[in-house]
Amino acid sequence: MTKLSTLRQTTDHISQSLQALLERLPPRTAPPLVAEPSPAALAVPAAAPGVLAGPRVQLPCPALLDTYDGDHTSGEHFLQFCLTYIHLSGDAFDSDTLKIAWVLFYMKARQASTYALRVLWRPGGVGSFTDWAAFEKDFRAEFFPIDPAKSTALALRNREQYRQEKRTLDEYIDSFWALVEQAAYPDGLQLCLTFQDGLHPA
């Protein structure tokens, strides 16, 4: 009962923190109509010599994330999306604990949900991480491929696994070169043969 009570209190605290965060995020509704501003209001003040003037408009609110299921092939993309969203949200995330709780909120399926629950069951819950860097290091160890370059190179060399299939030629080329860059695959005859092997037979 003590563990359940502690978990319930931690969950309630996270829910309250996330609700407070949502209230601080910029609204996604269209701005109300206002009277046309005067020419003086539209005038842009001159920047100091050697200083570039920054944008004077509010950035749009970024789109929310999709649920992450713990797939190792997309762990890096999920984390990068989280970092981008946090960066674009300005001062809405005022603590590392809130950032971590927000990321865990989207880890609701399969291995990701198991990881999120394990974090919540720890002594201290989300606050068991000393800072964001500690959480990111733990996330990378849990959901990033052990050796992405080697895994990608093996996928390219597997003639049965990597083929054009139903993709268009342009889609196959884009995918192929993305894997080549990730795997640091060497140039030369072997690269050409690998590309040719994956094409549809003429």
Side-chain angles (χ1 to χ4, degrees):
M1 290 296 296
T2 302
K3 287 187 176 181
L4 288 175
S5 177
T6 302
L7 179 59
R8 186 178 296 107
Q9 292 175 0
T10 302
T11 304
D12 292 342
H13 175 70
I14 292 174
S15 299
Q16 293 172 4
S17 299
L18 289 174
Q19 182 61 38
L21 169 64
L22 292 175
E23 292 174 356
R24 289 199 297 270
L25 289 175
R28 303 183 67 180
T29 56
L33 296 177
V34 295
E36 184 176 354
S38 64
L42 294 175
V44 179
V51 177
L52 296 177
R56 300 179 61 82
V57 296
Q58 185 178 10
L59 293 174
C61 183
L64 295 175
L65 283 69
D66 293 328
T67 297
Y68 177 59
D69 62 2
D71 183 3
H72 285 235
T73 61
S74 59
E76 183 176 1
H77 297 287
F78 173 75
L79 182 60
Q80 186 59 49
F81 203 122
C82 292
L83 291 171
T84 302
Y85 189 99
I86 291 171
H87 176 73
L88 292 177
S89 298
D91 297 330
F93 294 90
D94 56 5
S95 70
D96 286 345
T97 300
L98 187 56
K99 294 176 185 178
I100 297 169
W102 180 78
V103 173
L104 293 177
F105 177 78
Y106 288 94
M107 302 176 68
K108 303 177 181 178
R110 301 174 59 186
Q111 290 176 306
S113 65
T114 302
Y115 173 83
L117 288 174
R118 188 167 71 242
V119 171
L120 294 175
W121 277 100
R122 291 177 183 173
V126 179
S128 60
F129 295 102
T130 55
D131 52 21
W132 172 265
F135 168 74
E136 184 173 337
K137 180 180 179 181
D138 194 63
F139 183 94
R140 288 175 177 271
E142 189 77 21
F143 297 108
F144 276 35
I146 297 177
D147 190 341
K150 183 177 180 180
S151 299
T152 306
L154 291 174
L156 282 171
R157 293 173 185 172
N158 189 334
R159 299 182 181 181
E160 297 300 326
Q161 177 180 349
Y162 188 74
R163 291 186 174 277
Q164 181 182 355
E165 296 182 341
K166 296 181 179 180
R167 290 177 291 185
T168 66
L169 181 58
D170 287 341
E171 291 172 341
Y172 174 68
I173 291 174
D174 291 342
S175 174
F176 182 85
W177 282 112
L179 291 176
V180 168
E181 292 178 358
Q182 183 177 356
Y185 208 67
D187 296 330
L189 178 61
Q190 183 60 47
L191 184 61
C192 295
L193 293 175
T194 302
F195 177 81
Q196 185 178 4
D197 286 341
L199 291 170
H200 281 313

